[in-house]
């Protein structure tokens, strides 16, 4: 199978919104944290609605106009989008969202996306939030030079996230 990583196009929004919901459903259910499929659909389901898709279209249009401030790449497998990585630049660069569907993980695609993102970020420090119990994501970010800062948040009062940062020497 061939995978292509390229800049997102406005028409990609029809797949990116639903992809995000699918990725959340694959990544985050955790009964101990009170994170059920229903809770995920309640919190993130809007990304797959017509309104959510429109918001993604607007974001991707902005990315394509402000390439120095906004970043968004998708991973294509034929006509299907199987991954996305976005970010923005302010005083620091913020990474997120970054997701690959479970059936394409472990093929080096995340590393390829991260390499493009870090090249775009350049010498600016990069921050992100990672879900505390998503061990594979935390290890992935650590392999790419991120460290856990100790800052934590409970997103929507439930999802335990930790801040990770990558400083540039």
């Amino acid at each position: 199978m061939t995978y292509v990583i390229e800049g997102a196009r406005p028409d990609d929004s029809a797949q990116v919104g639903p992809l995000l919901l699918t990725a959340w459903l694959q990544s985050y259910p955790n009964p101990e944290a009170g994170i059920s499929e229903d809770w995920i659909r309640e919190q993130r389901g809007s990304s797959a609605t017509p309104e959510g898709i429109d918001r993604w279209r607007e974001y991707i249009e902005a990315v394509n106009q402000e390439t120095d401030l906004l970043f968004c790449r998708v991973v294509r497998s034929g006509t299907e989008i199987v991954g996305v990585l976005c970010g923005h630049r302010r005083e620091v660069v913020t990474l997120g969202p970054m997701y690959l569907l479970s059936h394409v993980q472990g093929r080096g695609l995340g590393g390829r996306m991260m390499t493009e993102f870090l090249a775009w970020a350049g010498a600016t420090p990069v921050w992100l939030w990672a879900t505390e119990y998503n061990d594979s994501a935390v290890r992935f970010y650590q392999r790419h030079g991120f460290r856990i800062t100790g800052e934590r948040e409970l997103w929507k009062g439930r999802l335990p996230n930790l801040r990770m940062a990558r400083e540039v020497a």
Side-chain angles (χ1 to χ4, degrees):
M1 184 67 57
T2 301
Y3 299 97
V4 177
I5 299 171
E6 61 186 13
R9 301 185 297 251
D11 287 348
D12 293 337
S13 60
Q15 290 188 61
V16 171
L19 173 135
L20 291 173
L21 176 58
T22 299
W24 270 69
L25 291 168
Q26 291 175 349
S27 302
Y28 298 128
N30 184 309
E32 295 83 35
I35 310 294
S36 65
E37 181 178 323
D38 288 342
W39 187 85
I40 291 168
R41 288 184 185 282
E42 180 182 312
Q43 301 303 320
R44 301 303 297 175
S46 66
S47 69
T49 65
E51 296 81 12
I53 291 167
D54 285 346
R55 282 192 298 276
W56 271 101
R57 176 181 300 279
E58 291 169 7
Y59 176 75
I60 292 168
E61 288 170 350
V63 167
N64 292 330
Q65 293 172 5
E66 300 181 63
T67 57
D68 56 329
L69 298 177
L70 301 170
F71 180 95
C72 193
R73 299 288 186 275
V74 295
V75 180
R76 295 182 197 284
S77 173
T79 60
E80 179 188 13
I81 294 176
V82 296
V84 64
L85 190 162
C86 299
H88 62 270
R89 181 188 314 273
R90 293 199 181 104
E91 62 278 352
V92 298
V93 170
T94 301
L95 184 156
M98 179 180 186
Y99 291 103
L100 282 169
L101 295 179
S102 59
H103 71 279
V104 298
Q105 292 178 8
R107 299 169 192 244
L109 297 168
R112 287 173 47 201
M113 283 196 305
M114 182 63 78
T115 297
E116 284 192 32
F117 180 78
L118 294 175
W120 173 82
T124 307
V126 181
W127 290 359
L128 61 87
W129 288 104
T131 297
E132 195 170 302
Y133 58 79
N134 191 344
D135 296 332
S136 62
V138 172
R139 284 192 309 272
F140 171 83
Y141 294 129
Q142 288 172 325
R143 282 194 309 273
H144 289 278
F146 289 84
R147 64 174 179 73
I148 298 168
T149 66
E151 184 181 354
R152 289 179 156 58
E153 72 165 10
L154 270 181
W155 187 79
K156 300 286 185 175
R158 280 196 203 171
L159 189 69
N161 289 326
L162 48 90
R163 168 80 71 198
M164 298 185 77
R166 182 177 191 270
E167 303 298 329
V168 179

